[in-house]
Amino acid sequence: MAYRTVLFDLDHTLLDSDTSMKLAFDHTLKSAGIAPKSDHFPIYDRINQGMWAAVERGETSPNAVKVARWEQFALELGAVVDPLDLAATFVEGLSQFGELYDGARALLDDVRERATLGLVTNGLSEVQRARIERLELGHYFSSIAISGELGVAKPDNAFLDVVFAELSQPERSTTVIVGDSLTSDMAAGHNYGISTCWYNPEGKPPPDQPPTYEASDFDEIRSHLFADA
């Protein structure tokens, strides 16, 4: 069908967050005088993913994760460093590094001609706001919802309550959320009774609870959003 309201996730959907995070991580270790080793980033990534999963479950907040992940990282490495300094440097790096995926801006240009757009992201306010400004994304979206500002994260219904209020309560039947995460984006859409479009460029196996649509590239997203247009 042709959707009139489209909610886009940011990280790993529009933004190459893996590159952003790796560059920020390397920048942080270098600034702290820590000689990088091959196992350092996998250790950090495991800690970080675990903590963000806890955010999705409502067990902690993005602002708590900001420092806690570096406290745990330093503990596992046995490094004598200040986690607050590491966290601040990493946030700076995340804000400065990373670009949109090829074709992401063209997708936004196309979709905004036909629908109202919202940006829905679990993340730190200072990171996401800096990225939005640096990449000149703000003008695409009629609502920008960041979990670090709202105090609630996807997939909690309260997160989308804020978005729908800012968008003057669009019809749920003509609203779709597009994102890469099954546990935040797709779960949020399912819980809220709106359509879901799972961006799955890596060809991961389908979940037990299938999304409304699955797309391996941006052209497939276009075709799903405006099939009847």
Side-chain angles (χ1 to χ4, degrees):
M1 68 175 297
Y3 289 95
R4 293 198 289 269
T5 305
V6 181
L7 309 179
F8 278 103
D9 173 50
L10 179 60
D11 290 294
H12 302 106
T13 300
L14 299 172
L15 178 75
D16 183 356
S17 304
D18 287 337
T19 298
S20 174
M21 184 165 60
K22 187 61 169 63
L23 290 172
F25 180 82
D26 291 344
H27 169 68
T28 300
L29 293 196
K30 182 178 179 180
S31 297
I34 299 175
K37 295 183 179 179
S38 60
D39 64 337
H40 282 174
F41 185 74
I43 291 171
Y44 169 82
D45 193 41
R46 168 178 51 79
I47 294 168
N48 188 56
Q49 288 194 38
M51 290 190 177
W52 279 106
V55 170
E56 292 176 6
R57 295 191 299 269
E59 297 170 0
T60 188
S61 70
N63 290 332
V65 169
K66 178 169 62 175
V67 176
R69 57 192 173 188
W70 288 105
E71 290 175 337
Q72 184 63 31
F73 178 77
L75 181 65
E76 293 196 21
L77 258 63
V80 182
V81 291
D82 185 345
L84 289 173
D85 287 343
L86 294 178
T89 304
F90 188 65
V91 163
E92 176 188 37
L94 287 176
S95 302
Q96 294 177 354
F97 302 129
E99 302 298 329
L100 297 179
Y101 289 123
D102 289 343
R105 193 175 298 278
L107 174 65
L108 293 176
D109 284 332
D110 290 346
V111 177
R112 73 167 174 170
E113 293 296 323
R114 310 188 195 187
T116 298
L117 273 59
L119 188 67
V120 290
T121 174
N122 285 352
L124 296 168
S125 175
E126 58 265 50
V127 171
Q128 304 301 59
R129 289 291 176 185
R131 286 169 162 174
I132 291 165
E133 180 177 0
R134 178 174 61 83
L135 297 170
E136 299 182 346
L137 295 177
H139 67 285
Y140 287 105
F141 302 103
S142 299
S143 172
I144 295 175
I146 302 171
S147 63
E149 296 177 355
L150 301 184
V152 65
K154 298 175 294 183
D156 195 307
N157 280 349
F159 185 98
L160 288 185
D161 281 342
V162 174
V163 177
F164 269 65
E166 290 184 349
L167 296 177
S168 301
Q169 301 300 332
E171 291 290 335
R172 297 193 189 195
S173 62
T174 57
T175 300
V176 60
I177 184 170
V178 181
D180 70 293
S181 173
L182 294 172
T183 55
S184 64
D185 305 314
M186 300 302 98
H190 177 79
N191 293 346
Y192 214 70
I194 63 175
S195 295
T196 54
C197 182
W198 182 32
Y199 181 51
N200 182 26
E202 298 176 358
K204 297 175 183 177
D208 293 335
Q209 185 177 76
T212 312
Y213 309 106
E214 181 178 339
S216 62
D217 56 38
F218 291 152
D219 284 338
E220 281 194 68
I221 291 176
R222 283 186 183 87
S223 67
H224 292 318
L225 297 185
F226 304 115
D228 298 332

